[in-house]
Amino acid sequence: MSQAHDWLIPWSTHVGNRLGHRPLIVIGMRATTPVFLWPLARIDGPLGMTLEWLGAANGNQMPGLWCRDSLNALPAQAVASALNEVARTAGADQVRLVNVPAMLDGVPHPLAGLPHRPSVSAVHVGPLDQPYEALLRSRHDRDARRKLDKKAKGLARLGSVSLVEPVSPDEIRALLDVFTAQRDARARTSGIPNVFADAGLNTALFAALCGTGARPPVLQIVGLEVAGVIRATYITGRSGNRLCGYANSIAQDDSLPFSPGVQLLTMLIRSAAEDPDLTLLDLGLGDERYKHAWTDPELLIDIGFARSARGHLALQSATLLAALKRRVRASRHLWPLYRRLRKWAARSED
């Protein structure tokens, strides 16, 4: 989903162009048959030019686009040579491809033979291949199911509960505005920056949610309405057999003790479990607690190599920063401390 054409076009128009990310689309051919497509970006910086995934700044896992029938037949060395040749032709000082899945359709990723390190975050993936009740029981013990049910009843006591699925551009715009406002409110209390407050990214989201012409939108937004008020939203997309959670929001009000975001996600999973074309739930990057109820972490890797002295310096700097982030996130003491400091800083600004 993060590398879908109908997402990358508005992202490049409203975000990438402003950042100076110049698209470089690479198509790999075997005879007359396309076998892969890499949506890359050329980025000039103080330490030279970097090749990275187009849209990586606002994406989740980034596998590239591959012909599934050719995965087993693609020699890893040939794929690595192709990327090296692309980097040489483009004049790149370094290549840095983040958040690449280590495995793709049950086989090692074709680029995994290149130098790589674990990504800062894993991606959280779980099954959608059972009826909802069976899936619920397989992922939640009795106590967890009771808590989920108790919170659903508590939410219902506030008023009528319904799912809002906007269709018209005006309806989509209104719900996206709620999403942005709720993310702003969360930023003020948690210290987590609201990246969606960026006007360009917000415009790109709106375009992806509305779609163009006869093509269906690549993203969808839904809301959970309780007593006439939107208490949570979720932006999702589909990628093959996956339902992908991209971003969500929750209201900072009297519904918060009843976990409206979790209730909305549960409604989405219930619906997805009835769709025979969906067999996987992908909740994206980040180790939020709610994801563990339905998914498990899967390893992602960052692929990187330098082609010049200044590219080597840039790559080393990025690698050290990523290693520091991984260490903080993995620490039982440093990560909670960082989150507390972030909240304290946000409240101090108020």
Side-chain angles (χ1 to χ4, degrees):
M1 184 203 75
S2 292
Q3 295 181 302
H5 172 272
D6 288 348
W7 166 242
L8 290 181
I9 290 296
W11 184 90
S12 294
T13 301
H14 300 290
V15 181
N17 286 347
R18 187 185 74 232
L19 298 177
H21 293 200
R22 296 170 292 155
L24 175 64
I25 309 303
V26 180
I27 301 175
M29 306 287 292
R30 170 171 282 179
T32 58
T33 303
V35 291
F36 64 76
L37 186 150
W38 299 335
L40 302 177
R42 294 172 292 179
I43 304 169
D44 292 318
L47 292 176
M49 196 262 277
T50 299
L51 276 186
E52 67 175 48
W53 293 123
L54 187 65
N58 300 118
N60 280 307
Q61 64 169 314
M62 313 288 284
L65 306 174
W66 304 83
C67 174
R68 295 307 200 246
D69 294 338
S70 301
L71 278 178
N72 285 313
L74 286 174
Q77 186 56 49
V79 175
S81 296
L83 183 56
N84 270 288
E85 179 61 18
V86 168
R88 185 193 67 80
T89 304
D93 292 279
Q94 63 161 327
V95 174
R96 191 165 69 244
L97 304 180
V98 300
N99 298 332
V100 176
M103 302 292 291
L104 195 61
D105 282 3
V107 301
H109 194 284
L111 291 171
L114 285 162
H116 63 267
R117 293 174 175 81
S119 300
V120 173
S121 298
V123 65
H124 289 261
V125 180
L128 278 177
D129 54 356
Q130 303 178 73
Y132 172 75
E133 290 299 332
L135 187 63
L136 178 67
R137 291 179 178 275
S138 70
R139 298 292 312 193
H140 297 69
D141 60 24
R142 181 177 296 179
D143 285 344
R145 296 197 302 271
R146 285 176 176 170
K147 288 178 182 177
L148 193 62
D149 186 58
K150 183 178 180 181
K151 289 193 173 187
K153 290 177 179 177
L155 201 62
R157 284 195 293 271
L158 297 179
S160 61
V161 178
S162 60
L163 185 67
V164 176
E165 299 178 274
V167 175
S168 72
D170 285 346
E171 292 171 337
I172 291 169
R173 179 75 263 173
L175 193 54
L176 184 59
D177 286 345
V178 173
F179 164 86
T180 306
Q182 289 180 351
R183 299 280 298 209
D184 279 340
R186 179 176 179 241
R188 289 193 296 271
T189 58
S190 69
I192 300 172
N194 177 17
V195 298
F196 300 101
D198 176 85
L201 181 55
N202 200 275
T203 301
L205 267 180
F206 180 64
L209 288 164
C210 290
T212 55
R215 296 169 68 92
V218 69
L219 294 176
Q220 296 79 43
I221 185 170
V222 296
L224 182 68
E225 186 176 271
V226 182
V229 178
I230 300 296
R231 311 294 182 140
T233 71
Y234 219 124
I235 296 175
T236 66
R238 294 174 67 130
S239 178
N241 64 336
R242 292 179 181 236
L243 174 67
C244 302
Y246 180 64
N248 57 10
S249 71
I250 54 175
Q252 308 295 306
D253 61 18
D254 58 343
S255 69
L256 204 54
F258 308 115
S259 303
V262 171
Q263 300 298 329
L264 177 55
L265 177 59
T266 301
M267 295 169 74
L268 291 173
I269 292 171
R270 183 187 291 274
S271 176
E274 297 174 358
D275 188 333
D277 294 329
L278 293 173
T279 59
L280 289 173
L281 174 67
D282 183 339
L283 295 181
L285 307 178
D287 196 27
E288 288 83 3
R289 185 184 303 173
Y290 74 90
K291 295 181 181 181
H292 291 265
W294 296 103
T295 61
D296 300 301
E298 289 188 0
L299 176 68
L300 297 177
I301 57 176
D302 293 347
I303 294 165
F305 59 88
R307 299 193 65 262
S308 70
R310 60 181 183 172
H312 178 76
L313 180 59
L315 184 62
Q316 287 295 101
S317 300
T319 300
L320 288 172
L321 180 60
L324 177 61
K325 288 181 178 179
R326 283 197 307 273
R327 183 171 181 178
V328 170
R329 285 181 180 271
S331 172
R332 294 173 55 190
H333 304 291
L334 292 177
W335 184 240
L337 175 61
Y338 169 75
R339 293 178 68 140
R340 287 197 297 272
L341 289 173
R342 191 170 57 187
K343 286 183 180 181
W344 175 82
R347 289 168 181 170
S348 296
E349 289 178 2
D350 287 344

